[in-house]
């Protein structure tokens, strides 16, 4: 008979040769002993350390993750602080710079103003000197020309003029000299 | 028609039913997983439970057919 | 075993270590066509010897009757007193009926010759070691060694190193996080984890051993899966009773309903009976599911290889044999997946049942 023809023999055989559902008492008993013994031995010697070891490792990993989280948090706060500090330093530097610039500006202005003043003063002094020298020269010229004229006149007139005459003549001469320039 | 050939037909019918049922479960589960990949593991669990229940009923039918046949 | 038998063996050996020299099991002899053969010399060679008098169709029919015989196929999938080995290894095993098989006999270490329970014609308990018993023992010893080693490694607190360590740990953590915890709850998981892990790896080990040609899957018998399901049932009931007390546990099986007292009087006992029956069926089906998946898968593999025997002695064997070998390789890959899947589903449903016993309905 082929596999294609199902038959009653499938369940009727008592020795288990062609009955797929046949339960062999020997094999069942043996399985009971083997599996029971395996359960006991493995539970005692293998699964306990394995499960405990895995739990311990898991605990260790989760602890380390927590620690890493904490460290990251710490690093973040530190970074923030440093960034704030850095920003403060930047502002300070800018302020110092601005101050220095302002100082330099004011110093420059002061120097320029002083120099201007000095120049003006020098010019004025020079002008004053020129004026003084001019009037001195005019006076000296007048005096010497009076003297010359007196000398000439004395020699011409032949007589010495009095002191009053000299003064009168000097004043007339100065008048004469200065009037065209006035 | 002998009893054993009837049992054979019975087994065939049981397997057709189970095949359709498990096929439907499989298609729905794959669809569900494609739509919601996050829930894939839960869908798979539910799928296996449902398929196992159908399979159990089928095996029951097949064994009854064996015994009756 | 004659020469022609070995020629067929050579084709079959790579995938399933099947042999033309394997005998028709005792159970097969009582049925129809198989009864016409006289036990020993009805391999492909036997038919080939009649080749001249038979047409190709008759030859195929005769081969089919032999190789696709349910008893013959079952012999490769079921428990036996020997492990099938390829013919070229030269191992021989003589069974109780005096038939010679190509295989490695399991020694009768208990030394019990007569059945302890039952008669020699219908034995119930024989205490004779079989290949599935040997495989279970090997899997148990391997598991014990591997997980003790893993336990020491993990406890040392070192970083996981190496493929074996990482692979095992990945599976353990997967079972814990994806299977046990969602079903049972984080609080209770660690109490049941040893049971679930042992169940998962034991089933996986037996399933994987079944992938080795000649060994067969011990999870493909109701005896093994039935006992495993019985353990699950024991843990479910035991933990539930321990948590709630016996009466409370029975009461918890009935969902709370808002019903008039009269209706409740009738409905509650009815639902109680249904729920208890459902619970038994649930665990029975747990056993059947694993058994049926492994058994059916290996039977299909056996049929794939048997096609070579069917074509044996005719010209089409050269076309059939490569296809059958390729097909059985491809199907073996699927079976490898099923081995993991069924171990996962068994552990998953076991934890689901345990989880549901921890809480009232």
């Amino acid at each position: 008979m082929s596999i294609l023809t199902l038959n009653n023999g499938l369940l009727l055989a008592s020795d288990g040769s062609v009955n797929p559902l046949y339960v062999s008492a020997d094999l069942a008993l043996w399985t009971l002993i083997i599996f029971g013994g395996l359960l006991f031995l493995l539970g005692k010697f293998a699964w306990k350390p394995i499960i405990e070891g895995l739990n311990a490792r898991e605990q260790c990993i989760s602890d380390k993750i927590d620690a890493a989280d904490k460290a990251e948090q710490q690093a973040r706060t530190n970074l923030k602080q440093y960034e704030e500090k850095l920003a403060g330093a930047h502002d300070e530097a800018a302020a110092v710079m601005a101050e220095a610039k302002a100082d330099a500006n004011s110093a420059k202005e002061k120097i320029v103003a002083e120099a201007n003043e000095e120049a003006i003063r020098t010019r004025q002094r020079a002008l004053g000197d020129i004026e003084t020298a001019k009037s001195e020269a005019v006076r000296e010229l007048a005096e010497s020309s009076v003297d010359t004229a007196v000398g000439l006149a004395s020699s011409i007139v032949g007589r010495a003029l009095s002191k009053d005459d000299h003064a009168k003549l000097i004043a007339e001469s100065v008048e004469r000299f200065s009037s065209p320039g006035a | 028609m002998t009893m054993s050939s009837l049992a054979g037909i019975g087994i065939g019918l049981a397997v057709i039913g189970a095949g359709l049922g498990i096929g439907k479960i499989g298609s729905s589960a794959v669809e569900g997983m494609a739509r919601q990949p996050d829930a894939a593991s839960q869908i798979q669990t539910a799928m296996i439970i449902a398929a196992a229940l159908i399979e159990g009923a089928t095996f029951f039918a097949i064994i009854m057919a064996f015994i009756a046949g | 075993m004659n020469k022609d038998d070995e020629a067929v063996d050579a084709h079959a050996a790579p995938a399933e270590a099947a042999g033309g020299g394997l005998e028709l099991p005792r159970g097969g002899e009582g049925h129809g066509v198989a009864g016409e053969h006289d036990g020993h010399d009805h391999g492909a060679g036997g038919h080939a010897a009649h080749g001249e008098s038979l047409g190709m169709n008759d030859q195929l029919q005769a081969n089919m009757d032999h190789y696709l015989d349910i008893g013959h196929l079952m012999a490769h999938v079921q428990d036996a007193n020997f492990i099938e080995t390829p013919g070229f290894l030269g191992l021989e095993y003589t069974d109780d009926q005096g038939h010679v098989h190509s295989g490695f006999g399991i020694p009768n270490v208990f030394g019990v010759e007569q059945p302890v329970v039952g008669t020699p014609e219908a034995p119930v308990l024989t205490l004779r070691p079989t290949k599935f018993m040997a495989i279970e023992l090997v899997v148990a010893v391997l598991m014990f060694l591997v997980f003790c080693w893993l336990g020491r490694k993990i406890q040392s607190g070192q970083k996981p190193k190496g493929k074996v360590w990482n692979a095992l740990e990945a599976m353990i953590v997967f079972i814990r996080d994806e299977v046990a915890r969602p079903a049972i709850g984080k609080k209770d998981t660690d109490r049941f984890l040893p049971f679930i892990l042992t169940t998962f790896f034991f089933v996986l080990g037996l399933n994987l051993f079944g992938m080795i040609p000649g060994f067969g899957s011990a999870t493909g018998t109701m005896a093994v899966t039935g006992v495993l399901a019985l353990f699950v049932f024991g843990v479910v009931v035991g933990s539930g009773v321990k948590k709630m007390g016996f009466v409370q546990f029975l009461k918890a099986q009935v969902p709370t309903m808002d019903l008039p007292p009269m209706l409740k009087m009738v409905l509650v006992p009815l639902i109680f009976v249904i729920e208890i029956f459902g619970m038994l069926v649930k665990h029975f089906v747990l056993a059947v599911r694993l058994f049926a998946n492994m058994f059916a898968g290996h039977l299909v593999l056996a049929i794939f290889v048997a096609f070579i025997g069917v074509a044996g002695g005719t010209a089409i064997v050269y076309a059939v044999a490569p296809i059958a070998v390729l097909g059985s390789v491809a199907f073996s890959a699927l079976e490898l997946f099923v081995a993991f899947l069924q171990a996962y589903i068994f552990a998953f449903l076991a934890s689901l049942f345990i989880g549901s016993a921890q809480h009232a309905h």
Side-chain angles (χ1 to χ4, degrees), chain B residues 14-59:
Chain B
V15 171
I16 287 174
L20 288 175
I22 294 176
K24 183 79 184 68
I25 292 170
S27 83
S28 305
V30 171
E31 238 170 66
M33 285 183 207
R35 269 177 212 187
Q36 289 194 297
D38 294 343
S41 66
Q42 287 165 343
I43 292 171
Q44 194 178 24
T45 307
M47 174 186 83
I48 289 171
I49 293 170
L53 288 173
I54 291 181
E55 217 186 13
T58 315
F59 281 137

Side-chain angles (χ1 to χ4, degrees), chain C residues 156-223:
Chain C
S156 71
Q158 291 170 337
K159 277 180 276 180
K161 250 184 274 172
K163 286 175 189 160
V164 180
W165 187 353
N166 274 301
L168 289 172
E169 217 173 79
M171 283 198 261
I172 290 170
V173 171
F174 175 78
I175 292 292
R176 187 190 63 181
D177 292 351
E178 306 291 323
V179 175
R181 276 192 184 159
I184 301 174
K186 203 167 183 298
K187 196 160 63 70
D188 291 324
T189 295
D190 279 5
R191 268 194 307 135
F192 296 105
L193 205 51
F195 175 73
I196 293 162
L197 285 172
T198 311
T199 312
F200 174 76
F201 282 107
F202 191 63
V203 171
L204 182 64
L206 291 181
N207 287 353
L208 289 180
F209 248 89
M211 293 314 298
I212 303 172
F215 279 74
S217 179
T219 36
T221 60
M222 270 304 276

Side-chain angles (χ1 to χ4, degrees), chain C residues 228-298:
Chain C
L228 289 174
L230 208 63
F231 267 99
V232 175
F233 184 69
V235 170
V236 166
V237 173
S239 65
V241 167
K242 198 178 157 197
K243 181 142 184 152
M244 308 182 208
F246 187 67
V247 180
Q248 222 27 58
F249 176 70
L250 287 183
K251 268 189 190 167
Q253 298 309 309
V254 182
T256 44
M257 293 172 293
D258 282 328
L259 288 174
M262 278 298 285
L263 205 57
K264 221 170 181 175
M265 286 275 282
V266 186
L267 269 184
V268 166
L270 200 68
I271 288 174
F272 178 76
V273 171
I274 291 172
E275 288 286 340
I276 294 295
F277 181 71
M279 194 166 174
L280 293 174
V281 166
K282 223 163 56 170
H283 289 85
F284 176 68
V285 169
L286 184 67
V288 171
R289 174 179 300 109
L290 180 58
F291 149 74
N293 272 292
M294 300 318 293
F295 171 78
H298 283 261

Side-chain angles (χ1 to χ4, degrees), chain C residues 100-142:
Chain C
V100 178
H101 303 268
S102 169
F104 171 75
I106 307 291
N108 188 4
V109 285
F110 301 123
V112 182
E113 296 296 340
Q114 291 299 313
V116 182
V117 182
T119 60
E121 289 77 35
V124 177
L125 192 68
T126 59
L127 294 186
R128 280 284 300 274
T130 62
K131 71 171 173 185
F132 286 169
M133 292 188 193
I135 290 168
E136 280 182 12
L137 188 64
V138 169
V139 167
V141 170
L142 270 179

Side-chain angles (χ1 to χ4, degrees), chain A residues 67-78:
Chain A
D69 271 347
K70 217 179 256 173
E72 201 218 347
Q73 208 67 42
Q74 185 66 43
R76 249 176 229 286
T77 22
N78 282 353

